[in-house]
Amino acid sequence: MNNQEIREAIRQRIKSYSRIILSRHIRPDGDAVGSTMGLAAVLRARYPEKEIYVVNDDTADYTAFIGTEDTQPDDAAYADALLIALDTGTFDRLSNSKAGLAKEIVKIDHHIDDKPYGDLSLVEDFRSSACELVVDFCLSFPEDFPLTAEAAACYYVGMVTDSGRFRYSETTGDTLRLAGALLDFGIDTERLFAHLYLDPYEEFRSRSALLRKIKRSPAGVLSLTIPRSLRKKLGLTMEQAGAAVSLMDSVKGSPVWIAFIEADDGTIRVRLRSRFIGVQELATRYHGGGHLCASGATVYSKKEAGALLREADALLSHYQLSHEDIL
Ligand SMILES: [Mn+2]
């Protein structure tokens, strides 16, 4: 089936089922919750006679403002139900342990389709978010899936968050046109952004403490070292401390930045980030790897951390020799 035939088949399936269960991936983000809640809003408004459930095994505080999900129906309810899995690349990431009981599964997603699943699968991996794809799907069948103001607000959350506020390279003209169609419904973006991007005062305070610890190497590499003691004092988990790497992501002339986070066992977890210059190769030399401009590594002493930092500094000075406008 080509893309148009898959869309048509999904349209038919949704119309034919009287019970539809929507699920998304575990540890939800704005796109996962926005796409499920948005499609549920569309279906409830257009088909009040159908039973529409949004069912997942886990929730997240961060997305709770979008709305409340439903309680898990009995196993028997699945026997004649259609399950729509949104924003979930692989079946094992689906946040619904009963999904396998459904009569049929439709997958709608934008992740690379490594392990296909579902009776019908609409995957467009060039989409900046699952919400972008679902909005495009709804707009392609306006009679059957008319957008509502409530759905538009949900979908907009996913489009904004997964595209890094329309900043990541996956953002296309189509992304903005589809987001524009949502804004036409009148979304309170001021409130929405407040929900998404305001931090508790304590987090703001600990960020200012961390900002003061950032150092700059001769060539311009920024680094932040968080010893165990400081991490405990600020009450940060390894994950939260690691996220502090992004505090250094917007300094002109410093296209490489590195966080060193000391774990409880004394090893030092390293997060390397960059723009334009690759840091992956450097990370592989220190027990790590990852993506070209976002890698992780591990070092086992302050001395080794210093060596990694000096290598990063040399990498940047070498880059500066052949590039004039360092951003
Ligand atoms: Mn997504």
Side-chain angles (χ1 to χ4, degrees), residues 45-323:
R46 175 67 178 79
Y47 304 100
E49 73 284 3
K50 290 187 195 295
E51 288 176 42
I52 309 293
Y53 299 91
V54 176
V55 176
N56 292 288
D57 297 334
D58 66 342
T59 56
D61 292 345
Y62 153 75
T63 53
F65 76 93
I66 300 170
T68 317
E69 299 182 344
D70 302 299
T71 49
Q72 180 69 269
D74 294 338
D75 289 11
Y78 277 79
D80 55 356
L82 175 68
L83 186 126
I84 305 179
L86 291 132
D87 195 34
T88 308
T90 55
F91 188 73
D92 60 330
R93 293 250 308 145
L94 200 55
S95 180
N96 185 343
S97 51
K98 294 188 181 181
L101 300 174
K103 187 162 182 199
E104 284 188 295
I105 293 179
V106 164
K107 173 188 182 183
I108 302 178
D109 186 37
H110 72 127
H111 296 95
I112 292 168
D113 206 6
D114 284 334
K115 290 188 202 163
Y117 68 92
D119 300 277
L120 282 168
S121 172
L122 176 63
V123 175
E124 296 183 7
D125 60 21
F126 61 90
R127 295 288 181 185
S128 65
S129 62
C131 282
E132 178 185 323
L133 172 56
V134 183
V135 171
D136 188 65
F137 174 79
C138 289
L139 290 177
S140 63
F141 302 112
E143 304 277 296
D144 300 301
F145 310 116
L147 294 177
T148 65
E150 188 193 348
C154 294
Y155 288 147
Y156 198 73
V157 172
M159 293 196 72
V160 165
T161 52
D162 255 32
S163 68
R165 304 184 222 185
F166 305 115
R167 178 180 174 282
Y168 301 154
S169 58
E170 289 77 13
T171 304
T172 63
D174 226 17
T175 310
L176 295 183
R177 277 184 289 276
L178 293 165
L182 300 178
L183 284 176
D184 287 343
F185 282 87
I187 296 168
D188 187 347
T189 50
E190 205 64 41
R191 274 194 76 78
L192 176 71
F193 279 79
H195 273 299
L196 290 173
Y197 299 113
L198 297 185
D199 299 317
Y201 180 70
E202 296 68 28
E203 248 169 66
F204 172 76
R205 291 291 301 183
S206 81
R207 193 185 317 145
S208 68
L210 294 171
L211 280 170
R212 284 198 295 272
K213 304 261 302 168
I214 295 169
K215 295 201 169 85
R216 194 168 193 263
S217 78
V221 175
L222 297 180
S223 65
L224 169 61
T225 301
I226 307 181
R228 217 176 334 181
S229 54
L230 177 64
R231 187 163 61 76
K232 300 285 180 196
K233 190 180 148 203
L234 297 174
L236 301 176
T237 62
M238 283 300 286
E239 187 64 28
Q240 288 166 333
V245 71
S246 67
L247 294 175
M248 301 177 281
D249 69 1
S250 47
V251 180
K252 204 176 202 173
S254 292
V256 177
W257 57 101
I258 307 172
F260 297 94
I261 319 291
E262 191 187 358
D264 288 337
D265 64 4
T267 61
I268 299 167
R269 305 289 158 72
V270 188
R271 290 201 183 185
L272 302 99
R273 298 289 184 271
S274 61
R275 51 183 171 267
F276 310 119
I277 310 170
V279 288
Q280 184 183 32
E281 201 261 331
L282 174 60
T284 58
R285 277 185 276 122
Y286 287 88
H287 327 282
H291 304 282
L292 192 62
C293 293
S295 283
T298 306
V299 293
Y300 297 92
S301 65
K302 280 186 187 160
K303 200 175 156 212
E304 203 184 3
L308 189 158
L309 189 55
R310 277 191 298 281
E311 280 200 54
D313 184 72
L315 182 74
L316 180 52
S317 6
H318 184 76
Y319 180 82
Q320 283 161 344
L321 294 176
S322 52
H323 296 79

